[in-house]
Amino acid sequence: MKKVEIYTWQYCPFCIRAKKLLNKKGAEYIEHAIDGDNNARLAMSIRADGKRTVPQIFIDDKGIGGCDELYALDAAQELDKLLY
């Protein structure tokens, strides 16, 4: 399994939805909860090419975007290829 990281806010519905799909896939991930932490959000934004919305998801240090992009990869049957 590849290294998966997700930047989240605790009550963000998109973050919850993205983690639900990752859990369904059996993916282990590192969660960076950045609620109210402007420095962590800035670090995420730099890593995500300026994107400031959560979640931001990285697989093997490659940014794949957020929840919508994660579900689009799954619908296109590409997510499993990235995870395994």
Side-chain angles (χ1 to χ4, degrees):
M1 175 139 333
K2 307 232 176 122
K3 179 181 175 187
V4 179
E5 296 175 82
I6 181 170
Y7 288 82
T8 65
W9 280 20
Q10 183 176 4
Y11 297 110
C12 164
F14 297 102
C15 299
I16 293 166
R17 189 168 176 244
K19 291 188 298 183
K20 183 177 179 178
L21 178 57
L22 290 172
N23 289 333
K24 179 181 171 186
K25 294 288 182 179
E28 294 182 18
Y29 54 87
I30 299 165
E31 182 175 2
H32 303 283
I34 62 169
D35 300 68
D37 186 340
N38 288 329
N39 289 332
R41 188 172 195 154
L42 177 61
M44 175 202 75
S45 177
I46 290 168
R47 190 171 178 202
D49 296 325
K51 296 177 186 128
R52 296 186 50 81
T53 58
V54 288
Q56 287 299 316
I57 304 160
F58 296 84
I59 300 175
D60 273 353
D61 294 317
K62 179 183 178 213
I64 63 154
C67 183
D68 290 343
E69 291 81 6
L70 184 70
Y71 273 83
L73 285 168
D74 190 45
Q77 300 181 352
E78 296 294 321
L79 183 56
D80 288 345
K81 295 175 191 174
L82 290 175
L83 291 173
Y84 303 103

